[in-house]
Amino acid sequence: MTIVIGFEGSANKIGVGIVRDGAVLSNPRRTYITPPGQGFLPSETAKHHRACVLSVLKEALLQAGIQPADIDCVAFTKGPGMGAPLVAVAIVARTVAQLWKKPLLGVNHCIGHIEMGRLITGAANPTVLYVSGGNTQVISYSERRYRIFGEAIDIAVGNCLDRFARVIKEMAHKMLGAGECTPEDLCFSLQETLFSMLVEVTERAMAHCGSREVLIVGGVGCNLRLQEMMEVMCQERGAKLFATDERFCIDNGAMIAQAGWEMFRSGHVTSLEDSWVTQSPCHPDLPNVQPQCMSQLAPFSSPSAHSARRQTG
């Protein structure tokens, strides 16, 4: 029996989750909410996380019904994410690990989403659409690594939708003033266009890998319209769609705990000297572990790199 506690705070959510051998024991979180029409700044978000993290930690332990002595490992989000919030949460994780005399593990945020999605849905070897406020990637697993088939290089889909909602009146005032359309028309059009692009790229990755499964993870993955469009594509290909609800799609501590559980069971730990954080969306020094095999995020390089499929155990 292995129990891992995970700290997540890469964006506007601060969460602490506890996982025991594939079972989520607790998963409380808090959200930094800004005034309508405003985004969240890194410094203010970090301040929020520092104010909330200890109460969330206590809540996680209480809900799980365990003591610090029962925990085998402390996992935290190493990146990617917003610098200041990442640092704030990493400091707490380092402190807790030293106070409790437990090993420390830095976890890739993206892989945390994927591993939690696989745990909850039971997807075996899916093509993954990871779509959130800060990340948009199509990922598949091959040769002991998660391979990135495509990603947004300027703005993530979630951020795009949020920004458009904030500037729609000033950017489209001529069209709106002339009665050519309504704000709802423009929002619907943007959403349909973005989601159609995501479905198409995901289908291309499926065809390349010979995949029969799709897993949607990340905050935007809660969107029922995206799930509906993806389901139509999957039905046409004879594939199966897997998705979770907002309990696990949105950033949470349990996803970091689950990825940390995989790593710890495979013998990985992070030294205090290496417990730095990174904002980079894809860093070569962010290993993670699947059952019986090592994995990490890596850019797609060539068709031959995807010839080997993962053997799940």
Side-chain angles (χ1 to χ4, degrees), residues 64-111:
I66 64 172
Q67 300 297 320
D70 301 321
I71 292 172
D72 296 292
C73 179
V74 177
F76 70 99
T77 302
K78 192 175 178 68
M82 301 171 68
L86 281 172
V87 169
V89 176
I91 289 173
V92 175
R94 293 186 200 115
T95 303
V96 165
Q98 291 178 86
L99 287 174
W100 295 350
K101 295 180 173 57
K102 305 294 181 181
L104 187 66
L105 263 175
V107 172
N108 185 299
H109 177 86
C110 310
I111 295 178

Side-chain angles (χ1 to χ4, degrees), residues 18-199:
I18 300 176
V19 169
R20 179 180 60 205
D21 295 340
V24 178
L25 302 183
S26 62
N27 197 23
R29 66 185 168 206
R30 303 284 188 276
T31 302
Y32 174 49
I33 301 175
T34 61
Q38 297 183 22
F40 47 92
L41 299 174
S43 59
E44 296 300 316
T45 306
K47 182 179 180 180
H48 167 267
H49 290 0
R50 288 193 295 269
C52 294
V53 64
L54 293 183
S55 62
V56 178
L57 171 58
K58 292 177 182 178
E59 185 177 342
L61 291 170
L62 183 62
Q63 287 182 6
I66 64 172
Q67 300 297 320
D70 301 321
I71 292 172
D72 296 292
C73 179
V74 177
F76 70 99
T77 302
K78 192 175 178 68
M82 301 171 68
L86 281 172
V87 169
V89 176
I91 289 173
V92 175
R94 293 186 200 115
T95 303
V96 165
Q98 291 178 86
L99 287 174
W100 295 350
K101 295 180 173 57
K102 305 294 181 181
L104 187 66
L105 263 175
V107 172
N108 185 299
H109 177 86
C110 310
I111 295 178
H113 273 294
I114 297 172
E115 293 304 321
M116 177 53 68
R118 291 183 65 241
L119 172 68
I120 297 301
T121 65
N125 192 21
T127 295
V128 179
L129 173 62
Y130 170 34
V131 55
S132 65
N135 299 278
T136 301
Q137 296 175 323
V138 176
I139 301 168
S140 192
Y141 191 90
S142 178
E143 295 186 343
R144 300 164 63 88
R145 281 176 170 77
Y146 281 109
R147 307 285 177 173
I148 301 172
F149 276 79
E151 61 184 331
I153 59 175
D154 48 7
I155 182 173
V157 166
N159 198 356
C160 177
L161 292 170
D162 289 344
R163 288 192 186 184
F164 185 78
R166 289 198 294 267
V167 303
I168 182 172
K169 290 185 178 180
E170 57 188 85
M171 298 299 293
H173 61 278
K174 290 184 179 180
M175 296 176 65
L176 295 174
E180 299 178 17
C181 60
T182 66
E184 291 79 7
D185 291 332
L186 294 177
C187 290
F188 178 79
S189 178
L190 176 64
Q191 177 177 272
E192 291 293 293
T193 301
L194 290 174
F195 290 175
S196 295
M197 295 165 64
L198 294 176
V199 172

